[in-house]
Amino acid sequence: MLFGHPDEMLDHVGKEIGVSAWHVIDQATITAFADATGDHQWIHVDPARAAKEVPGGKTIAHGFLLLSLYPVLTAEFFHVAVNSYTLNYGLERVRFTAMVPVDSRVRLRQTIAAAEKTKDGGVRVTLDGTLELEGSERPAVVAQTVRLIYP
């Protein structure tokens, strides 16, 4: 969805703003995230051990890796034409509700949960996001993210 100005989001509370394309979570991505964060727990980076000990027999993506995809996936469908800058303001709620095995596909669906003007001229927007896991009734992640968007 393209907004001409941040103020336009005030009229879209409760409305879905978009859905990303499906994205594969491959082992190279999982390993790169492990290297970047220092989280080398074997369930993420040891396919041989995972084959024997993890339900489903595959390594699984880090929860924070999945959460870190929200900005890039949101960028596929959420744009503000008059936007000098955007700040990630925080998270209201995050739940990792399903394991994501290597080579699974995920996509993000978002709705504007709240939007309000800030004293300094921006808009604080709260987005309800669901990271869907292909083939699963349960989503991988449910998170409410908050952004400050300035014209």
Side-chain angles (χ1 to χ4, degrees), residues 3 9 15 17 70 74 77-78 92-93 108-114 125-130 143-147 149:
F3 293 97
M9 289 180 279
K15 296 178 183 172
I17 58 169
Y70 273 54
T74 299
F77 56 80
F78 178 63
E92 295 296 338
R93 185 176 67 94
L108 181 63
R109 180 180 305 274
Q110 284 189 315
T111 301
I112 295 179
V125 62
T126 302
L127 302 169
D128 281 336
T130 302
Q144 197 171 62
T145 58
V146 184
R147 293 179 176 196
I149 303 174

Side-chain angles (χ1 to χ4, degrees), residues 6-7 116-124 148-151:
D7 290 353
E116 61 185 354
K117 292 285 287 183
T118 61
K119 291 180 181 178
D120 58 358
V123 173
R124 182 174 34 249
L148 295 173
I149 303 174
Y150 293 91

Side-chain angles (χ1 to χ4, degrees), residues 79-94:
H79 304 279
V80 181
V82 177
N83 179 7
S84 60
Y85 64 98
T86 298
L87 297 173
N88 287 319
Y89 189 68
L91 301 164
E92 295 296 338
R93 185 176 67 94
V94 177

Side-chain angles (χ1 to χ4, degrees), residues 57 64 117 127 137 142:
F64 286 117
K117 292 285 287 183
L127 302 169
E137 291 183 20
V142 178

Side-chain angles (χ1 to χ4, degrees), residues 6-144:
D7 290 353
E8 293 177 19
M9 289 180 279
L10 302 170
D11 296 327
H12 284 79
V13 173
K15 296 178 183 172
E16 184 173 278
I17 58 169
V19 181
S20 74
W22 289 104
H23 291 267
V24 176
I25 306 299
D26 60 20
Q27 189 62 53
T29 301
I30 294 170
T31 300
F33 188 82
D35 290 342
T37 62
D39 182 355
H40 290 94
Q41 187 177 172
W42 67 267
I43 61 173
H44 306 303
V45 297
D46 189 340
R49 186 171 176 187
K52 298 176 199 168
E53 298 181 41
V54 173
K58 296 181 177 182
T59 57
I60 61 170
H62 304 75
F64 286 117
L65 163 59
L66 301 169
L67 184 61
S68 75
L69 295 175
Y70 273 54
V72 71
L73 297 180
T74 299
E76 291 184 17
F77 56 80
F78 178 63
H79 304 279
V80 181
V82 177
N83 179 7
S84 60
Y85 64 98
T86 298
L87 297 173
N88 287 319
Y89 189 68
L91 301 164
E92 295 296 338
R93 185 176 67 94
V94 177
R95 296 290 182 268
F96 303 106
T97 53
M99 290 191 303
V100 176
V102 67
D103 297 326
S104 295
R105 294 189 340 153
V106 297
R107 70 178 178 190
L108 181 63
R109 180 180 305 274
Q110 284 189 315
T111 301
I112 295 179
E116 61 185 354
K117 292 285 287 183
T118 61
K119 291 180 181 178
D120 58 358
V123 173
R124 182 174 34 249
V125 62
T126 302
L127 302 169
D128 281 336
T130 302
L131 190 68
E132 299 173 342
L133 175 59
E134 188 176 42
S136 174
E137 291 183 20
R138 295 179 64 179
V141 181
V142 178
Q144 197 171 62

